[in-house]
């Protein structure tokens, strides 16, 4: 963790000196968060994150399918399995008789379909299976394709194999009909046959009919409290006090000016404001049954710039003012109740600080002669300040908009009730975990063993458990956004869609990653929908900005 203000504001450059974690001021509750709008619902285990274009970072696709689910039938023949995942085809095969389907709603936006297949359908499937075996089987004494007596074919293929193939044929032909009532609302890859295959075989063998249960997750209904409450939202946006372009400009100019100066060793005095000290720091708890070290407060060779004294533990700078090279000071400090590390809040600690080196800065006079060195291309100090200010004004506006969107999304999830399907929860959680892994890989080079450990089922499940509330809140935000888009009949231009699809594909090609153009188009379309919703909400909400 760095000494500077949280990098999420992106208004201040990072200080290269790394202090002990426990000394850094906790990030205020108003610090900006990146919105986590990841709306995909794709097969679990096949995570591919979207292109990191600006808009795609801003929003990600909605968690339900735009088109009816497409399935390809497949049922496990394992008798030990209590459920089989199923993929169905769009096409419905004409049946010789109607099947009976009883639909029962279950918790977590799940529907149970109890299917009864009459003997006529089972018999028709049996005949088709036998005809197919007859075409493919090379029965001794019969030419390929010639009619083989049923008893001989059964003996050659095996009655058990014919029975399994018939049950699978029945499932393949009847599942699309059974799913008719949830077409367009079923979540992809959430269909499960919960009846054991062995039970289906037994029923077919004894009764020449078949019954089975299917469960499927459906798009959850969004209930607004109050109804249409999103139309007159009152939002209070807390802006971090450090997100100020003028202040950021001054700090950046000071940082650049200091970088042009040289460091001189202090020999005849103690530490003053403006100096840089090299410190060894350690700390232990006080007034506890057992004195314990505080590892996060320990540091060797920590380069402490006294001008950053407001970013460390309150009282730390005051306690070491006057310390000289080679001197050690011991003093108590209390961690404030607002401290980021919860286990240290209110803790009384004894700090020991040894000053290893002490420097002061020999700075050049700040005038027009330094302009080009401060910012390439500038000829005057005024130009430098204006250019930096313009950059930070743009950053300030972006941060302000980001904070506004975050506040809107946070309030939206509090205004809706949603019965979240388990499959959607797991997929959303895996999307978030995948993004976390990518972030880790971008900052730390992981070996194959570390990557395998972080990608393990255990690691993913632990993340889902620990981040359950956050994942559910993200899903509620996403569903609320999708519901508003439909309710308000919002639209975006074709040109916007084409442009963002092209940008995404270009980014995938640049990173040499595989991509599905149709999937990208679908995702970008949903991203644009989300952006339109946030734009609409900003226009219709009463927004108040306060500085934290």
């Amino acid at each position: 963790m760095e000494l500077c203000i949280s990098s999420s504001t992106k208004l201040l450059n990072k200080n290269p000196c790394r202090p002990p974690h426990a000394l850094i001021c906790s990030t205020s509750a108003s610090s900006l968060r990146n919105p986590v709008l990841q709306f995909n619902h794709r097969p679990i285990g096949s995570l591919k994150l979207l292109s990191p274009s600006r808009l795609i970072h801003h929003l990600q696709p909605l968690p339900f399918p735009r088109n009816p689910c497409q399935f390809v039938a497949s049922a496990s023949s394992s008798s030990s399995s209590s459920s089989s995942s199923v993929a169905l085809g769009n096409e419905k095969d004409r049946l010789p008789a109607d099947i009976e389907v009883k639909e029962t709603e279950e918790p977590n936006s799940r529907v149970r379909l109890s299917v009864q297949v009459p003997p006529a359908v089972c018999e028709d499937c049996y005949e088709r299976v036998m005809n197919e075996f007859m075409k493919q089987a090379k029965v001794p004494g019969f030419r390929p394709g010639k009619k083989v007596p049923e008893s001989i074919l059964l003996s050659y293929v095996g009655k058990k194999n014919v029975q399994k193939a018939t049950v699978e044929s029945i499932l393949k032909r009847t599942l699309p009909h059974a799913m008719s009532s949830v077409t367009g609302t079923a979540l992809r890859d959430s269909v499960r046959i919960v009846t054991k295959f062995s039970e289906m075989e037994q029923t077919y063998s004894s009764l020449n009919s078949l019954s089975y249960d299917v469960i499927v997750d459906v798009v959850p209904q969004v209930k607004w409290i109050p109804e249409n409450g999103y139309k007159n939202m009152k939002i209070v946006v807390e802006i971090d006090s450090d997100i100020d372009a003028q202040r950021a400009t001054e700090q950046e100019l000071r940082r650049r000016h200091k970088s042009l100066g040289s460091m001189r060793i202090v020999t005849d005095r103690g530490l003053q404001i403006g100096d840089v000290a090299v410190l060894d720091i350690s700390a232990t708890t006080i007034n506890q049954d057992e004195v314990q070290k505080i590892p996060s407060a320990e540091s060797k060779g920590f380069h402490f710039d006294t001008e950053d004294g407001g970013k460390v533990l309150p009282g730390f700078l005051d306690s070491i003012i006057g310390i000289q090279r080679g001197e050690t000071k011991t003093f108590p400090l209390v961690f404030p109740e607002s401290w980021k590390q919860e286990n240290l809040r209110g803790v009384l600690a004894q700090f020991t600080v040894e000053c290893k080196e002490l420097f002061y800065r020999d700075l050049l006079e700040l005038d027009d002669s330094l302009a080009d060195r401060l910012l390439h291309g500038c000829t005057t100090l005024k130009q430098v300040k204006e250019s930096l200010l313009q950059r930070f004004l743009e950053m300030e506006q972006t941060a302000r908009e980001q904070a506004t969107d975050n506040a809107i999304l946070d309030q939206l999830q509090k205004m809706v009730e949603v019965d979240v399907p388990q499959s959607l929860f797991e997929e959303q959680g895996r999307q978030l975990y995948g993004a976390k892994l990518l972030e880790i890989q971008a900052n730390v080079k992981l070996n194959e063993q570390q990557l395998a450990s972080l990608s393990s089922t255990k690691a993913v499940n632990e993340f889902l458990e620990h981040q359950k509330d956050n994942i559910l809140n993200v899903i509620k935000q996403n569903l609320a956004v999708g519901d508003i888009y439909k309710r308000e009949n919002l639209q975006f231009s074709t040109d916007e869609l084409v442009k963002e699809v092209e940008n995404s594909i270009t980014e995938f090609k640049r990173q040499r990653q595989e991509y599905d153009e149709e999937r990208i188009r679908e995702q970008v379309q949903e991203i644009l929908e989300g952006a339109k919703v946030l734009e609409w909400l900003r226009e219709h909400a009463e927004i108040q900005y306060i500085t934290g």
Side-chain angles (χ1 to χ4, degrees), residues 220-276:
Q221 296 297 313
V222 177
K223 180 181 179 182
W224 289 92
I225 304 174
E227 180 66 22
N228 293 326
Y230 66 87
K231 292 188 175 182
N232 54 0
M233 294 173 66
K234 294 183 179 180
I235 305 293
V236 177
V237 182
E238 190 172 351
I239 302 295
D240 196 302
S241 59
D242 290 291
I243 304 177
D244 178 270
Q246 188 64 49
R247 179 178 176 184
T249 299
E250 294 170 359
Q251 291 178 336
E252 176 63 11
L253 181 61
R254 175 64 177 169
R255 186 194 68 80
R256 294 185 181 219
H257 183 212
K258 289 194 295 186
S259 70
L260 298 179
S262 56
M263 304 289 285
R264 308 292 185 188
I265 297 175
V266 175
T267 59
D268 57 351
R269 61 171 175 80
L271 181 70
Q272 297 177 353
I273 299 296
D275 292 342
V276 175

Side-chain angles (χ1 to χ4, degrees), residues 389-452:
L389 179 59
Q390 183 58 38
R391 292 184 187 182
F392 287 120
L393 283 172
E394 293 174 1
M395 292 182 182
E396 179 183 326
Q397 182 60 28
T398 299
R400 189 182 186 89
E401 292 174 356
Q402 187 73 82
T404 303
D405 289 348
N406 288 342
I408 290 173
L409 291 169
D410 185 58
Q411 186 158 326
L412 280 183
Q413 63 90 10
K414 296 175 182 177
M415 298 173 68
V416 295
E417 287 186 357
V418 180
D419 200 9
V420 178
Q422 181 64 22
S423 61
L424 182 56
F425 170 79
E426 291 180 354
E427 178 61 11
Q428 181 66 76
R430 281 167 169 76
Q431 288 285 343
L432 295 177
Y433 189 69
K436 179 183 176 183
L437 277 185
L438 288 181
E439 184 180 353
I440 293 174
Q441 286 181 281
N443 296 318
V444 180
K445 187 174 182 180
L446 302 174
N447 58 39
E448 290 186 8
Q449 184 177 358
Q450 291 171 321
L451 189 57

Side-chain angles (χ1 to χ4, degrees), residues 55-227:
L55 181 58
I56 291 177
H57 268 316
H58 185 60
L59 291 172
Q60 292 221 351
L62 297 172
F64 44 85
R66 177 177 305 283
N67 301 314
C69 289
Q70 297 184 358
F71 307 93
V72 177
S74 160
S76 169
S77 60
S78 171
S79 61
S80 62
S81 177
S82 61
S83 67
S84 306
S85 65
V86 180
L88 300 175
N90 252 358
E91 299 180 1
K92 291 182 182 178
D93 190 3
R94 183 181 296 275
L95 302 177
D98 292 334
I99 62 173
E100 181 181 335
V101 182
K102 179 183 177 182
E103 184 176 317
T104 307
E105 292 187 3
E106 296 191 350
N108 302 115
S109 298
R110 175 169 289 179
V111 174
R112 177 180 293 267
L113 304 173
S114 299
V115 185
Q116 294 286 341
V117 184
V121 176
C122 295
E123 183 62 31
D124 189 61
C125 291
Y126 171 77
E127 291 176 0
R128 289 193 179 195
V129 167
M130 291 297 288
N131 287 335
E132 192 63 32
F133 274 128
M134 193 176 297
K135 292 177 184 178
Q136 297 182 8
K138 297 179 180 179
V139 182
F142 294 88
R143 293 179 181 178
K146 291 294 182 179
K147 184 173 180 60
V148 180
E150 182 176 337
S151 59
I152 295 177
L153 186 60
L154 274 174
S155 176
Y156 179 76
V157 175
K159 186 176 181 180
K160 191 71 174 176
N161 289 331
V162 172
Q163 185 173 281
K164 287 182 178 179
T166 301
V167 172
E168 289 183 352
S169 175
I170 294 170
L171 293 175
K172 181 177 180 179
R173 294 181 66 192
T174 60
L175 269 170
H177 294 270
M179 294 289 296
S180 295
S181 63
V182 293
T183 298
T185 61
L187 294 179
R188 293 173 181 170
D189 303 287
S190 70
V191 184
R192 297 289 183 271
I193 297 175
V194 294
T195 305
K196 291 183 179 179
F197 197 88
S198 58
E199 293 178 4
M200 289 187 281
E201 285 184 293
Q202 181 63 36
T203 302
Y204 169 71
S205 176
S206 59
L207 302 176
N208 195 33
S209 63
L210 192 68
S211 62
Y212 60 92
D213 282 4
V214 177
I215 58 173
V216 56
D217 290 341
V218 296
V219 177
Q221 296 297 313
V222 177
K223 180 181 179 182
W224 289 92
I225 304 174
E227 180 66 22

Side-chain angles (χ1 to χ4, degrees), residues 19 37-38 70 86 96 104 148 187 208 278-279 324 327 381 434 452 482 508 511 546:
L37 287 179
Q38 310 212 11
Q70 297 184 358
V86 180
T104 307
V148 180
L187 294 179
N208 195 33
V278 180
L279 308 174
Q324 297 191 9
E327 183 182 355
L381 193 58
F508 274 112
Q511 297 186 8
I546 61 174

Side-chain angles (χ1 to χ4, degrees), residues 23 32 120 184 238 356 401 408 411 489 491 519 528-529:
L23 281 182
L32 298 184
E238 190 172 351
K356 309 295 288 187
E401 292 174 356
I408 290 173
Q411 186 158 326
N489 297 315
Q491 295 181 342
R519 181 58 181 160
L528 292 172
E529 290 177 3

